[in-house]
Amino acid sequence: MHPLVQDVRVALRFLLRNRSSTVATVAILGAGISLSATLFAIVKGTLLEPWPYRGYNRLVTVRGTYPTQGRTAFSLWSVPEIDDLRRASDIFEGVIAGDARNANLTYAGRPERVRAAVITPNVFAMLGASAFAGRSLTDADGTAGASPVVIVSYRFWQTRLGADPRAIGQSLRVGDVPYAIVGVMPEAFVFWDCDLWMPLTLNPADGRDERRYFVQAQLRPDVGLDVAASRLRLFAARLGVDHPERTEYAGLGITLNPLVEDVLRDLRPTLYLLLAAVALVLVVATANLANTMLARGMAREGELAIRRAIGGSAGQLARQMLVESAIVGAAGGAVGSAAAAYLLPPILRLIPYGYVPAEARVELDWRVVAAATVCSVGCGLMIGLVPALRAASVDPAALLKQEDIRTGSRRTHRWRDLFVTAQLILAVVIVGVAASAWSNLRDAVRRDPGYHAADVLTARIALPSADAARRTGAGVYARILSRLHDGAGVTDVAVTSAFPIGQLPTTLVSAQATASTQRMASLDAAIMVVSPGFFHLLDLPVVEGRAFADSDGPTMPAVVILSRSLARRLWADQGVLGRRVSISSGSVASETTVATVIGVAADVTPIVGDMRGQAVMFFPVAQRPPIGVAIGIKTKDAARALADISAAVRAVDPTLPVYGVERLSDTQMASLGPKLLAVTLLGLFGAAVLTLSAVGIYAVVGQSVQERGQELRIRLTFGAAPRQLFIAELRRVGWLVFISAGIGGAAAFAALRVLATTFPGFAGAIAIPLAVSTGTLIALALVATAIPAYQACRLDVLNRT
């Protein structure tokens, strides 16, 4: 029989004979591996393999910037500028342009809301994507006069079209235009997170100031980001020379942001933090189990001495210990992978929509399971390394002469103390970081945003196009509000372009102080379009001047309400009412709107991010109707409110779908995003570490009491008080606990100071949560020490065996 097979058989017999110890070891290792496998599946699906497209790592988003002003010049490009970028063939292998947004869809007489993109047809060839059924878009589809066609996603084909192969050739109405379905994309293709792709026709007659399209490009394989950036500086300089009349080209810079960074900028730091945390959890588990294996090895020293005495070599004994550890590691990997399959779905539900690529496939595939198995076996070998080295160094002659071969050496006790100290230090770091994150999350949830979201139900509607919004938007929204106001029991109802949940997008604003001073200040501010009932709906006070009224109609002079922080930034403590502000969309050549300030509203503060009040400008919906609005109703009966909204919308325009129904308080919680994911997982890691630390200390102290049983009985026989023995045992381990807590507390404080510069969630209080977590760990460690110490004081002095 092969020696390795013999070692496996012996190891299995030993592990089965010690079932309780083996099960506990496998369970502890499986817990650590389950967290690791779950997180690795998320990292693999989001960071390592996020897109199934050819050359996705060379995809970049192209933006214009003003380096001297430190601001974005424009993210949208005009048709002539897109043609200029396409001619930069020494930089880009391909350039695509388009726009993605939610659109109204009518199919089989049923209105609904879908995510659709109008995009240049070359996107499919550039990404190497072929149609699952039918065909993809061709350049001919993007020429002027071509018949309107559409490509649908696999999920749309499955859910909306019933996977009907006869769907090819049928018609969909997107907005006001009927499109013929010519193809279905594969399941993995959901570029720009869309369900529909329609060809974009670039009109060469468009001017350079008509910037309407986002641009993404694919770098040539031989061109890196640094090289592309240097070439684009020359490209931007040529634009300024070729078009001196375009003032925005003077000093223009062009930035390239990799698509991976654009999409994952919010989730990537959180995943890196969690990877570090789960690695520390594995280290703690490994140190814990190494102590257990070391104690088990000491208990087997008699057996090892006998095997050496009858001819067993040092290498054979060491290999035997490593084989046992590897089997335990493999079993822990299997248990951990099975547990990860149950952990992954609820953890994925914590990641809000939009934080990972729509194409990402987060699953426990064979590569994740293989990585977990390799990790677990590696941990097993590390766990068995010290016992294996000790087994290899056993001196059978010296050991067999000892009266009690179960008594360990001082060197072994030093190893065990080292393992205990290491795991306690790491435990303080992990639990301290988790406690700080939880404390700051609690503060964010308790933060007063300046308005009341309780009992507010929201639903969204959108008109087919911006042109429709300009022509009929004010009347459509007014009629819907009128019908809702007439409903039974409805008191507060309003429409708004957006509720102030997170950081709102900003635009360039200039303020006019006097008739002789045309531009007093320029800054970025958010724009919200609201109906007169908006401020009452959210209990958002207008602290100066007045709120909007029905009389602020489209034929009246433009008016605006400013948030308090914006008013102070523009005019400090001077009078605000009656001042005028001009608003531009951020493009230099865009038209501006001049409005008179009629009121000042209290600040709104996002529950995440910057704690300062947002600079917001409120406009009446009748004067500036957006393409889509959110309807808000204050109600206790959500089902009744939704029925009222649906009925009011159908009565005004049956082609408008109602979508995005949600309570505003739930939207607030969802805005916490990856912070909630990080706190939840860090909490799991902290709980696992606390449990492992308590179990580890209990096992070490219990093993020590067992080894020193004869000594303790003798001391009790000769008059030692049980209380003295109890205090001595506490003191013997207590100094390790307090030293570890001190070192770990200092390391956790330093780690939190570093994390605060990168993660806003750690920028709050540090000292109190760190002190509480450290104190909790010390108390738990002392309790784990006290239990076996108390048992030591109650030893039967007559039992000397």
Side-chain angles (χ1 to χ4, degrees):
M1 182 180 295
H2 193 279
L4 185 59
V5 175
Q6 179 68 24
D7 288 339
V8 170
R9 294 181 61 181
V10 172
L12 289 174
R13 282 200 300 268
F14 175 80
L15 294 173
L16 291 175
R17 191 167 61 246
N18 297 272
R19 290 185 182 87
S20 59
S21 176
T22 301
V23 169
T25 302
V26 170
I28 292 173
L29 186 58
I33 293 299
S34 66
L35 295 175
S36 304
T38 301
L39 196 56
F40 182 67
I42 297 174
V43 170
K44 172 185 168 293
T46 57
L47 299 184
L48 301 183
E49 299 177 359
W51 284 283
Y53 309 135
R54 182 179 63 196
Y56 75 85
N57 56 333
R58 293 185 280 118
L59 284 175
V60 293
T61 302
V62 185
R63 294 186 177 94
T65 61
Y66 290 136
T68 57
Q69 299 181 24
R71 58 174 288 112
T72 299
F74 45 81
S75 295
L76 303 179
W77 298 82
S78 64
V79 172
E81 291 167 341
I82 293 170
D83 289 337
D84 292 337
L85 290 170
R86 284 181 164 177
R87 283 192 288 269
S89 57
D90 61 328
I91 305 173
F92 303 123
E93 191 173 44
V95 175
I96 59 175
D99 189 18
R101 62 185 60 178
N102 292 324
N104 291 349
L105 167 73
T106 304
Y107 178 72
R110 183 183 62 187
E112 57 183 303
R113 193 73 170 165
V114 295
R115 180 80 171 166
V118 180
I119 197 165
T120 50
N122 65 321
V123 61
F124 300 97
M126 192 176 84
L127 299 180
S130 301
F132 169 78
R135 66 174 178 87
S136 59
L137 298 180
T138 65
D139 291 339
D141 295 321
T143 58
S147 299
V149 296
V150 63
I151 305 294
V152 301
S153 70
Y154 186 87
R155 66 187 176 194
F156 183 91
W157 180 64
Q158 288 274 328
T159 58
R160 266 75 159 213
L161 305 181
D164 186 355
R166 296 171 298 177
I168 304 297
Q170 294 184 15
S171 178
L172 296 177
R173 179 173 291 274
V174 183
D176 296 327
V177 180
Y179 288 83
I181 302 173
V182 296
V184 179
M185 295 307 294
E187 184 176 6
F189 189 96
V190 282
F191 192 63
W192 286 2
D193 194 16
C194 289
D195 280 319
L196 306 179
W197 297 272
M198 296 160 288
L200 171 63
T201 300
L202 296 176
N203 186 357
D206 282 358
R208 288 185 173 268
D209 57 347
E210 298 180 74
R211 298 191 177 97
R212 294 180 295 198
Y213 306 115
F214 292 97
V215 170
Q216 289 180 341
Q218 194 170 57
L219 296 175
R220 291 171 57 90
D222 58 336
V223 176
L225 275 177
D226 293 339
V227 174
S230 62
R231 294 181 183 177
L232 282 173
R233 282 193 290 269
L234 298 176
F235 173 84
R238 284 199 303 271
L239 282 180
V241 172
D242 295 341
H243 305 279
E245 75 284 0
R246 309 299 302 182
T247 57
E248 69 268 31
Y249 290 161
L252 176 70
I254 299 177
T255 63
L256 302 178
N257 294 333
L259 187 59
V260 176
E261 299 295 335
D262 261 3
V263 175
L264 299 175
R265 64 181 180 274
D266 293 323
L267 190 62
R268 182 188 292 270
T270 300
L271 290 181
Y272 285 153
L273 171 64
L274 294 176
L275 277 176
V278 79
L280 293 181
V281 171
L282 271 181
V283 172
V284 171
T286 301
N288 191 310
L289 294 179
N291 247 337
T292 303
M293 296 294 286
L294 185 60
R296 183 187 297 174
M298 291 170 56
R300 298 175 62 191
E301 283 185 342
E303 170 200 340
L304 298 176
I306 294 173
R307 291 181 61 182
R308 285 294 306 275
I310 61 176
S313 67
Q316 289 174 334
L317 298 184
R319 187 180 64 205
Q320 178 67 53
M321 300 295 286
L322 289 176
V323 167
E324 290 178 11
S325 301
I327 292 174
V328 169
V335 171
S337 297
Y342 290 96
L343 280 176
L344 187 58
I347 289 177
L348 287 178
R349 286 195 288 270
L350 293 174
I351 304 178
Y353 174 79
Y355 283 91
V356 298
E359 299 89 340
R361 294 292 180 266
V362 181
E363 56 189 2
L364 284 173
D365 59 14
W366 68 270
R367 285 168 292 187
V368 175
V369 173
T373 303
V374 170
C375 182
S376 60
V377 173
C379 288
L381 293 176
M382 291 178 62
I383 290 168
L385 184 60
V386 173
L389 293 176
R390 179 168 177 78
S393 60
V394 165
D395 183 354
L399 194 59
L400 291 174
K401 290 179 182 179
Q402 294 181 8
E403 293 184 13
D404 188 353
I405 60 175
R406 294 173 298 177
T407 301
S409 66
R410 292 182 179 178
R411 181 179 178 185
T412 301
H413 286 297
R414 284 197 297 269
W415 273 107
R416 289 163 59 179
D417 290 347
L418 178 62
F419 287 142
V420 169
T421 302
Q423 74 181 51
L424 284 177
I425 290 173
L426 294 177
V428 172
V429 172
I430 296 175
V431 175
V433 170
S436 178
W438 179 85
S439 174
N440 285 287
L441 178 65
R442 181 197 59 189
D443 292 343
V445 172
R446 292 179 176 178
R447 182 187 301 176
D448 181 9
Y451 60 90
H452 295 156
D455 299 328
V456 176
L457 181 76
T458 67
R460 296 198 66 88
I461 61 171
L463 298 180
S465 63
D467 183 60
R470 284 191 295 269
R471 289 186 290 103
T472 64
V476 169
Y477 303 146
R479 291 196 297 274
I480 292 174
L481 285 175
S482 177
R483 287 184 172 274
L484 290 173
H485 276 299
D486 293 340
V490 175
T491 56
D492 291 330
V493 59
V495 299
T496 175
S497 57
F499 283 98
I501 299 299
Q503 293 287 343
L504 296 170
T506 59
T507 189
L508 181 64
V509 175
S510 61
Q512 182 181 21
T514 64
S516 59
T517 305
Q518 294 300 312
R519 300 182 72 86
M520 173 183 151
S522 294
L523 68 160
D524 285 335
I527 290 180
M528 292 181 60
V529 180
V530 302
S531 66
F534 172 81
F535 297 99
H536 194 265
L537 173 72
L538 296 186
D539 295 327
L540 179 64
V542 177
V543 297
E544 188 176 350
R546 68 173 178 87
F548 296 130
D550 292 335
S551 58
D552 296 315
T555 61
M556 300 300 291
V559 292
V560 64
I561 295 175
L562 306 182
S563 65
R564 180 185 291 159
S565 59
L566 178 57
R568 288 177 177 173
R569 289 172 64 185
L570 288 174
W571 293 287
D573 295 327
Q574 304 174 29
V576 174
L577 300 183
R579 301 276 187 175
R580 292 193 300 165
V581 291
S582 60
I583 303 94
S584 65
S585 64
S587 299
V588 175
S590 63
E591 296 181 357
T592 60
T593 301
V594 179
T596 302
V597 179
I598 63 169
V600 176
D603 282 331
V604 293
T605 304
I607 63 174
V608 292
D610 196 341
M611 294 183 63
R612 297 175 298 178
Q614 285 190 284
V616 183
M617 308 181 71
F618 300 93
F619 288 91
V621 69
Q623 294 185 352
R624 198 182 175 112
I627 189 173
V629 295
I631 304 172
I633 291 184
K634 185 170 289 186
T635 179
K636 296 287 187 181
D637 189 347
R640 173 66 181 274
L642 177 58
D644 290 343
I645 293 174
S646 300
V649 172
R650 280 197 306 270
V652 173
D653 188 343
T655 66
L656 296 182
V658 177
Y659 65 100
V661 179
E662 194 170 19
R663 288 195 177 273
L664 192 57
S665 54
D666 294 338
T667 310
Q668 273 187 327
M669 292 303 299
S671 69
L672 293 171
K675 189 172 184 178
L676 181 60
L677 172 68
V679 171
T680 302
L681 290 183
L682 284 173
L684 287 175
F685 298 161
V689 165
L690 282 174
T691 304
L692 289 173
S693 299
V695 170
I697 292 176
Y698 179 84
V700 168
V701 176
Q703 181 67 27
S704 175
V705 168
Q706 181 181 356
E707 293 169 1
R708 298 170 54 240
Q710 185 173 348
E711 171 197 341
L712 295 176
R713 292 187 188 93
I714 293 173
R715 293 178 64 182
L716 287 171
T717 301
F718 283 93
R723 181 173 176 272
Q724 291 177 330
L725 293 181
F726 179 77
I727 293 175
E729 288 298 315
L730 281 181
R731 184 183 297 116
R732 192 174 63 84
V733 180
W735 72 272
L736 282 179
V737 173
F738 282 99
I739 289 177
S740 302
I743 297 174
F749 184 82
L752 287 170
R753 293 294 297 271
V754 173
L755 289 173
T757 63
T758 306
F759 299 92
F762 295 97
I766 293 178
I768 294 178
L770 184 58
V772 171
S773 60
T774 304
T776 302
L777 189 62
I778 291 175
L780 191 62
L782 292 179
V783 169
T785 304
I787 294 174
Y790 177 75
Q791 294 172 344
C793 301
R794 299 176 60 84
L795 287 173
D796 184 0
V797 297
L798 299 179
N799 184 4
R800 297 176 178 274
T801 60

